[in-house]
Amino acid sequence: MATDAAARRQTGPVRSDPAGVPVWTVSERVHAPGPDHHAETVYTVGNGYLCTRGTPEESGEDQWRTTFAHGVFDPVPLFVTELANLPDWTSLAITIAGEVFDTSRGEIVSFLRELDLRDGTLTREVVWRSPRGLTSILRFERFASLADEHLVALRVEVTPERAAPVRISSPLHSYAPSRGDGTTWVQHASPVATLVDGPAGRPDTIGLHVRTMAQHYEVAVALRHHARGDVTGQAHWELPGAPALVHDFAAGPAAPATLAKVGAYQTSRDGEADVAAAALRRAREAPTYEDVLAASRAAWARRWAACDVEIEGDDDAQLAVRFGLYHLIIAAPAHDDRVNIGAKTLSGFGYRGHVFWDTEIFMLPFFTYTMPDIARNLLDYRWHNLAGARTKAAGNGCAGAQYPWESADTGEEVCPAWLLGPDGVELVRIWTGDIELHISADIAYAAHQYWQVTGDDDWYYGHGADIILETAQFWASRPTLEADGRYHMRDVVGPDEYHEHVDDNAYTNAFARWHLTLAVALFEELRASRPERASALRRALGITDETLAQWSDIAGRMAVDHGEDGLIEQFEGYFDRTDVDLAAMEPRTRSVQAILGIEATNRTQVLKQPDVLMLLFLLRSEFDREALRRNYDYYTPRTDHRYGSSLGPAMSAIIAARAGLPEDAYQHFMLGAQAGLKDPRGNAADGIHGASCGGTWQAVVLGFAGLSVSEEGWTVDPRLPAHWRRVAFRFTHRGELQHVEIRNEELTA
Ligand code: BGC
């Protein structure tokens, strides 16, 4: 359910968007007292190397303050691994005339918090009257540099209404207390050393060097401070494992107290032996706050030039789309091909930073079409982790490589087998890590799509072929040939996770068939055009003519039923399950599974997400428009879109748009697009659901605009909602930037 605070957040321009200029800011003018974890997620800043939640600088009640850096995972004792919560650079303690700045005391005279999506800066301006009646203006600004991904920067300016002493202290703690969700309350990193640097007797830089408990990742952060104003004192304090720099100012209406910190993060994953020395060096060599900001702004401008989507006639949709793209950009590793984007990006504790099919099916297309270098990094993460996938396949008695349902740093399965259920008491068995198989085909699909859009033959016939062929070996070993002469895939979970232990899930089987067919074609292409590579693969993987014949045979006889009237049964026996009238369950604020329970929901036809519709979209060349309409009409009223999963709405939007129902499509689209901003499910405190951000981009570009890429080139087939006056977007096709503009029925490319 949407929280009050979420409802208060503006979805339109406040300050920096002159009338008529497309929206770029998420903002709020009303201060929400007390914890607001959703806001911490929304206002996350980052740069693809690290992200920091938008927790206010001053400490307060129950904050989920943290910085996450890609790839720095650490196991929770007796449980699974998760992203480590790292020392955080944003804390400040401010006193004005001896009174501690604390928004829960005194009075907030005015408040404006804004995230500028254009350049990734988060600002907050608070006019605060202290309990003793002194009014001050406090302006905060922070960002993570997109130009130099090791750098972060924050500035505060305090202006009291009359002359007053101001003290700004900048503390650094070895970790920010993580929330306790019943399973985790873990300090992942313990201090190795505190760091101090700068002129003798007057240090301007403090830092921390920490090491994670189990994996022994090393992380160092160094913060260099620049004070401006009438500085009357400066001191370096140190509690065990927690250094602080304190500045005293004589401030007044014409003499604000200003403190900027430019920080540098370094982890042992970066390959430098001495992380502490490297962080200190980076902080020392970094330019001023203003110069770091200018470079970051220029980098943001370059990013948006490659990927912006403009929607005229609908500011809410415009902002939601840009908000999603912003969150994808700040989570996307630009220079690292051994990490990937977790389901909740780097913006929260949800799903512990684990990587799911959310990347390949929902987020990756955005990168493939607009930032192919980043897409390749994300795909190479899977290539580097083939060993983990082989281990998983072998553990299940299968051949080849089976990708884990949840993946972290090593590529082994990290899906927890048990989790606390919705009542917070009972443990629930999680089957997805055991039997949700389709992710292996999803990854092959993404690899093939990357090749189609980019034409990157070297990658496709190299790493792409390794991924596709080894996972094909898995698909050839998992189904069973039965008495009816067909191959069946028993005991699986499809994308709709309300149904467990089902047979012949249509999505899984159709994808396995598609995958095996692709693998045969790919190997034949290799034999024809790159015989040496084909021979090497034949030797390494044991692929022979018999193998190819077997793959074709399995694909040809895979149990996939389209039904006589084009209606696809989601899995064997689905139509026999109880039909529930979802409308009759209204009003409700919880998922069907939370209301009915896991077992009872399993016995119904209610879906968490529209499995069959996803299949129709992804393998669209296999289905005609009638099939889209027929399946859309059947499955939509049975899908728990609002509370089930935020992955589904974008897919339903695309199918509805392609089936000629643009207004239906729009309703689905907005539900998915606003998942992070409006928090309809009440779970965005845990982080931004990256899949809904990526799905939103696909709904506009591949759904409403109908972009489609093939060997011959690309085409669009627009079906816009009636009130959208204009849609424009960019993408890169085979190395060339394309600009598409659709106005009503007119089309410019
Ligand atoms: C969805 C999965 C998804 C996962 C992570 C689950 O609730 O059912 O499809 O991969 O969340 O986002």
Side-chain angles (χ1 to χ4, degrees):
M1 75 241 67
T3 58
D4 290 350
R8 250 197 323 273
R9 270 183 266 294
Q10 295 275 342
T11 57
V14 169
R15 193 186 58 195
S16 42
D17 302 330
V21 173
V23 290
W24 282 100
T25 52
V26 176
S27 53
E28 63 194 291
R29 284 186 173 280
V30 181
H31 171 65
D36 186 352
H37 302 307
H38 174 231
E40 293 179 308
T41 299
V42 166
Y43 296 118
T44 296
V45 297
N47 59 13
Y49 175 85
L50 57 74
C51 281
T52 299
R53 281 168 65 80
T55 312
E57 284 74 8
E58 66 281 5
S59 63
E61 184 198 339
D62 186 20
Q63 295 178 325
W64 296 354
R65 178 191 302 280
T66 195
T67 292
F68 295 116
H70 261 312
V72 182
F73 282 91
D74 211 54
V76 179
L78 301 180
F79 198 59
V80 289
T81 195
E82 67 179 8
L83 274 178
N85 46 342
L86 298 179
D88 181 80
W89 50 286
T90 59
S91 285
L92 289 174
I94 299 169
T95 51
I96 309 170
E99 290 182 280
V100 177
F101 169 62
D102 176 349
T103 51
S104 69
R105 298 168 63 239
E107 186 193 336
I108 306 291
V109 180
S110 76
F111 180 87
L112 174 61
R113 173 157 56 175
E114 266 190 347
L115 175 64
D116 191 334
L117 306 172
R118 217 172 348 197
D119 63 10
T121 52
L122 174 64
T123 53
R124 189 166 55 116
E125 183 177 300
V126 189
V127 179
W128 179 66
R129 185 169 300 129
S130 74
R132 290 212 298 265
L134 175 63
T135 302
S136 305
I137 305 168
L138 295 100
R139 287 200 187 88
F140 301 88
E141 183 177 78
R142 68 165 83 152
F143 63 94
S145 170
L146 199 65
D148 178 342
E149 62 186 17
H150 293 279
L151 297 185
V152 290
L154 184 154
R155 183 174 59 192
V156 61
E157 184 189 276
V158 184
T159 317
E161 64 180 342
R162 58 179 160 72
V166 169
R167 169 169 286 185
I168 305 179
S169 65
S170 166
L172 193 48
H173 303 287
S174 62
Y175 85 111
S178 150
R179 66 165 176 160
D181 65 354
T183 48
T184 322
W185 190 292
V186 174
Q187 174 175 351
H188 281 292
S190 64
V192 176
T194 54
L195 313 173
V196 59
D197 197 16
R202 227 178 139 73
D204 58 9
T205 302
I206 53 170
L208 263 180
H209 174 187
V210 298
R211 185 180 294 127
T212 66
M213 303 289 186
Q215 298 271 80
H216 302 148
Y217 284 115
E218 310 230 353
V219 179
V221 52
L223 305 176
R224 182 164 178 208
H225 296 70
H226 307 262
R228 209 178 297 150
D230 187 356
V231 180
T232 56
Q234 182 179 332
H236 164 232
W237 292 34
E238 188 134 344
L239 295 172
L245 263 197
V246 182
H247 285 82
D248 281 327
F249 299 83
T258 305
L259 186 76
K261 39 182 170 178
V262 173
Y265 274 81
Q266 187 82 26
T267 84
S268 48
R269 296 192 59 262
D270 302 325
E272 297 232 15
D274 187 342
V275 293
L280 282 171
R281 177 176 41 77
R282 286 184 192 280
R284 199 166 41 242
E285 290 172 0
T288 61
Y289 179 92
E290 287 73 18
D291 288 347
V292 177
L293 179 56
S296 180
R297 281 200 166 125
W300 271 103
R302 287 194 294 277
R303 275 278 188 284
W304 284 116
C307 74
D308 190 24
V309 172
E310 294 166 70
I311 299 172
E312 260 176 50
D314 190 338
D315 284 357
D316 285 347
Q318 172 69 82
L319 190 69
V321 170
R322 286 210 176 113
F323 176 75
L325 301 188
Y326 165 83
H327 272 279
L328 290 176
I329 292 169
I330 66 172
H335 305 115
D336 192 340
D337 64 2
R338 288 179 183 265
V339 296
N340 205 287
I341 307 177
K344 291 274 188 167
T345 65
L346 289 175
S347 62
F349 297 91
Y351 294 116
R352 300 167 191 281
H354 295 177
V355 178
F356 294 69
W357 72 313
D358 302 36
T359 299
E360 282 75 16
I361 295 300
F362 296 87
M363 301 185 237
L364 210 126
F366 164 66
F367 295 106
T368 293
Y369 278 91
T370 65
M371 299 167 208
D373 291 351
I374 293 181
R376 197 177 48 235
N377 283 344
L378 295 169
L379 286 165
D380 270 336
Y381 162 85
R382 298 297 192 179
W383 181 79
H384 286 299
N385 285 334
L386 268 167
R390 283 180 209 121
T391 306
K392 175 154 177 141
N396 287 335
C398 292
Q402 177 190 7
Y403 278 105
W405 179 244
E406 296 186 26
S407 181
D409 49 349
T410 65
E412 269 152 37
E413 181 61 79
V414 290
C415 179
W418 296 89
L419 278 182
L420 275 183
D423 60 4
V425 180
E426 228 176 300
L427 281 175
V428 171
R429 179 71 166 88
I430 306 298
W431 288 104
T432 49
D434 303 68
I435 52 175
E436 189 153 358
L437 314 179
H438 60 86
I439 186 167
S440 293
D442 300 330
I443 292 169
Y445 182 88
H448 180 251
Q449 184 182 52
Y450 167 80
W451 175 61
Q452 275 196 318
V453 176
T454 63
D456 184 349
D457 287 350
D458 286 348
W459 186 87
Y460 184 64
Y461 293 117
H463 294 184
D466 289 335
I467 291 173
I468 292 168
L469 296 172
E470 287 206 44
T471 40
Q473 292 182 309
F474 162 72
W475 287 122
S477 65
R478 177 55 163 78
T480 43
L481 180 60
E482 298 185 10
D484 62 357
R486 303 203 308 163
Y487 284 88
H488 294 271
M489 205 99 69
R490 304 281 174 200
D491 193 22
V492 304
V493 178
D496 156 35
E497 294 170 353
Y498 279 179
H499 296 94
E500 293 170 339
H501 304 293
V502 302
D503 293 333
D504 289 334
N505 166 252
Y507 181 104
T508 308
N509 287 17
F511 257 101
R513 178 176 69 183
W514 172 88
H515 188 155
L516 288 165
T517 310
L518 174 75
V520 172
L522 168 60
F523 198 77
E524 276 166 358
E525 271 161 50
L526 281 169
R527 278 213 287 226
S529 63
R530 298 174 187 232
E532 281 173 20
R533 172 81 175 125
S535 309
L537 280 166
R538 193 177 45 239
R539 281 194 302 276
L541 304 179
I543 298 172
T544 60
D545 284 342
E546 290 72 50
T547 315
L548 298 186
Q550 187 212 12
W551 290 358
S552 297
D553 179 52
I554 297 173
R557 291 199 278 158
M558 184 71 75
V560 183
D561 293 317
H562 287 190
E564 278 173 19
D565 54 0
L567 182 63
I568 299 172
E569 185 170 37
Q570 187 179 293
F571 53 83
E572 193 187 300
Y574 168 83
F575 291 136
D576 302 332
R577 307 232 169 167
T578 316
D579 210 3
V580 172
D581 181 5
L582 280 185
M585 289 180 78
E586 298 295 339
R588 64 186 169 100
T589 54
R590 292 187 302 152
S591 72
V592 171
Q593 196 181 52
I595 295 170
L596 299 183
I598 293 172
E599 285 309 317
T601 308
N602 207 350
R603 290 193 292 271
T604 71
Q605 291 193 22
V606 181
L607 313 177
K608 182 176 183 187
Q609 47 195 348
D611 215 307
V612 169
L613 302 191
M614 291 172 167
L615 166 64
L616 295 179
F617 162 55
L618 294 167
L619 299 185
R620 44 199 172 277
S621 61
E622 297 185 13
F623 305 95
D624 60 21
R625 197 156 150 188
E626 277 68 51
L628 303 193
R629 186 61 198 261
R630 179 81 182 92
N631 286 282
Y632 176 84
D633 286 347
Y634 189 84
Y635 285 107
T636 302
R638 293 168 175 83
T639 306
D640 190 8
H641 268 317
R642 201 141 42 91
Y643 301 109
S645 165
S646 62
L647 276 64
M651 294 288 168
S652 289
I654 296 172
I655 293 295
R658 306 323 303 154
L661 301 165
E663 299 312 317
D664 269 38
Y666 181 73
Q667 300 306 324
H668 292 302
F669 167 75
M670 285 308 274
L671 182 63
Q674 296 194 321
L677 260 182
K678 292 289 173 194
D679 196 17
R681 289 175 189 79
N683 64 358
D686 261 357
I688 289 292
H689 222 156
S692 53
C693 302
T696 297
W697 180 88
Q698 294 189 62
V700 177
V701 173
L702 309 180
F704 292 126
L707 175 68
S708 137
V709 168
S710 66
E711 310 283 294
E712 287 82 46
W714 61 268
T715 55
V716 286
D717 176 15
R719 313 239 168 102
L720 303 188
H723 66 290
W724 287 13
R725 289 195 302 275
R726 171 178 168 270
V727 169
F729 61 90
R730 291 115 196 253
F731 72 100
T732 297
H733 182 246
R734 310 209 161 193
E736 281 183 31
L737 186 66
Q738 314 288 321
H739 191 154
V740 180
E741 202 166 315
I742 301 163
R743 268 174 213 278
N744 300 321
E745 296 306 305
E746 231 176 86
L747 182 69
T748 329

